[in-house]
């Protein structure tokens, strides 16, 4: 089972260069519990970058750069399929 509605969609975030940015998301209820990943501008976000941490439904960027700005979506996935959240925009000033 994977419901359609996200319990919490991420919100737009505005930060200055060098500040931390946090986006939160709670995926739809599902069985098995969906795993969470993020996409930036339609591309899956890898947390190989040491500045980026994905824990639970939180996306944390410790030290934002200009090129982190963009449109982010949270993706909840289980064996039934995947659902994408509403788009949240990260603005880096």
């Amino acid at each position: 089972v994977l419901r359609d509605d996200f319990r919490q969609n991420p919100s737009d975030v505005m930060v200055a260069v060098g500040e931390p940015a946090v986006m939160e998301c709670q995926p739809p209820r599902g069985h098995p519990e969906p795993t969470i990943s993020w996409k930036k501008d339609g591309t899956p976000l890898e947390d190989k970058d040491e500045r980026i941490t994905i824990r639970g439904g939180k996306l944390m960027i410790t030290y934002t750069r200009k090129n982190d700005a963009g449109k982010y979506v949270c993706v909840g996935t289980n064996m039934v399929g995947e659902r994408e959240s509403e788009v949240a925009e990260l603005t880096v000033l």
Side-chain angles (χ1 to χ4, degrees), residues 36-64:
I36 295 173
S37 57
W38 289 80
K39 288 182 184 176
K40 176 188 176 224
D41 298 328
T43 307
L45 203 61
E46 309 246 345
D47 54 2
K48 287 190 193 118
D49 188 329
E50 70 284 347
R51 299 176 307 117
I52 296 173
T53 309
I54 297 170
R55 190 177 300 125
K58 271 191 186 159
L59 169 65
M60 293 172 273
I61 303 173
T62 51
Y63 186 93
T64 53

Side-chain angles (χ1 to χ4, degrees), residues 11-51:
S11 305
D12 291 350
V13 175
M14 189 178 289
V15 294
V17 168
E19 284 187 354
V22 177
M23 287 187 173
E24 275 191 78
C25 147
Q26 288 184 2
R29 297 191 191 282
H31 190 80
E33 190 62 34
T35 57
I36 295 173
S37 57
W38 289 80
K39 288 182 184 176
K40 176 188 176 224
D41 298 328
T43 307
L45 203 61
E46 309 246 345
D47 54 2
K48 287 190 193 118
D49 188 329
E50 70 284 347
R51 299 176 307 117

